[in-house]
Amino acid sequence: YGFLSENSEFARRVTEMGVKFVGPSPSAIVAMGDKITSKRIAREANVNVIPGYDGFVSSPDHAVEIAEEVGYPVMIKATAGGGGKGMRICRNAAEVKEGHQLSTAEAKSFFGDERLFIERYVEKPHHIEFQVLSGRKRDSTASNGDLDILVFPERECSIQRRNQKVIEESPSVLLTPETRKEMARQVRSLVRNVDYESAGTVEFLVD
């Protein structure tokens, strides 16, 4: 039942019953639960995103065409994915075709959604996350009132096994004060653009 916390239909029905859902709005869950949609929203909020193709990959040949435009190496990802599932690193056309087939099957099996997208693969990146708490200001009575956004210091999550975090460290030794400040600004911009209320995490790959 824990997955109900990420279920937009559940959040919508609770809200319609006149009960306060402790979590993001249904629209925010939909927007940020789909990786392609969330990347488009991030761009609109002037947040740095990894170069790639912001559409659905329709076939193995289409995947190769996109990969050659983006530039190798590339990462094939499931748009509804998470937990390292539905992901493949590809360094040539043959690997893209194989990766498309394997990622499609895995995405359908784990998420019931076989849609894929492609982005540039960042070699040996730092995985850095910012935790956020966001809610309406106390003097705001309107549902679209100003958000009060608290951004916590970053966590360095680069030590991973099979795309799963093993150790988290804070603060990151990679970030300068200027970079940290800019990343926090982008986090706030994204939260406001999505109109996000609740606790959440914004993840970055930093090279």
Side-chain angles (χ1 to χ4, degrees):
Y1 293 101
F3 289 114
L4 289 176
S5 65
E6 301 177 7
N7 188 309
S8 61
E9 179 63 15
F10 177 76
R12 183 185 67 79
R13 291 191 182 188
V14 168
T15 302
E16 288 178 349
M17 291 170 61
V19 178
K20 175 62 177 177
F21 178 69
V22 182
S25 66
S27 61
I29 294 174
V30 171
M32 301 312 289
D34 182 284
K35 288 183 169 59
I36 292 177
T37 302
S38 62
K39 285 188 70 172
R40 291 172 180 165
I41 291 172
R43 281 201 175 93
E44 292 172 0
N46 294 317
V47 175
N48 293 339
V49 298
I50 299 172
Y53 178 73
D54 292 344
F56 304 124
V57 182
S58 59
S59 68
D61 289 337
H62 187 211
V64 171
E65 180 183 336
I66 293 168
E68 291 178 350
E69 290 178 0
V70 172
Y72 292 107
V74 297
M75 174 79 83
I76 298 177
K77 291 184 175 182
T79 185
K85 304 300 183 183
M87 297 170 55
R88 292 294 185 282
I89 302 168
C90 306
R91 302 182 184 278
N92 54 55
E95 290 182 359
V96 169
K97 289 186 176 181
E98 180 183 18
H100 179 275
Q101 180 180 1
L102 295 173
S103 292
T104 298
E106 198 169 85
K108 186 175 183 179
S109 174
F110 279 95
F111 312 114
D113 185 345
E114 60 186 27
R115 296 175 301 159
L116 306 174
F117 70 104
I118 294 177
E119 63 186 18
R120 179 79 54 81
Y121 175 64
V122 182
E123 300 273 7
K124 297 181 179 179
H126 286 254
H127 185 130
I128 295 178
E129 301 181 351
F130 284 80
Q131 191 77 36
V132 174
L133 285 177
S134 176
R136 300 293 169 197
K137 292 184 178 180
R138 294 183 66 179
D139 58 354
S140 176
T141 57
S143 61
N144 62 347
D146 290 339
L147 289 174
D148 196 1
I149 303 168
L150 177 61
V151 180
F152 291 92
E154 79 283 355
R155 302 191 304 263
E156 172 80 59
C157 309
S158 301
I159 299 177
Q160 301 188 6
R161 182 175 183 269
R162 297 180 179 175
N163 297 311
Q164 294 294 298
K165 293 171 286 187
V166 177
I167 295 175
E168 297 185 1
E169 178 185 5
S170 184
S172 169
V173 297
L174 176 71
L175 301 188
T176 64
E178 293 76 18
T179 302
R180 180 176 292 109
K181 182 178 180 180
E182 171 58 20
M183 292 175 74
R185 184 201 66 77
Q186 292 190 18
V187 169
R188 290 188 180 91
S189 178
L190 179 61
V191 169
R192 286 196 176 92
N193 201 39
V194 180
D195 197 33
Y196 188 92
E197 292 183 77
S198 188
T201 304
V202 180
E203 303 180 4
F204 292 88
L205 290 182
V206 185
D207 60 6

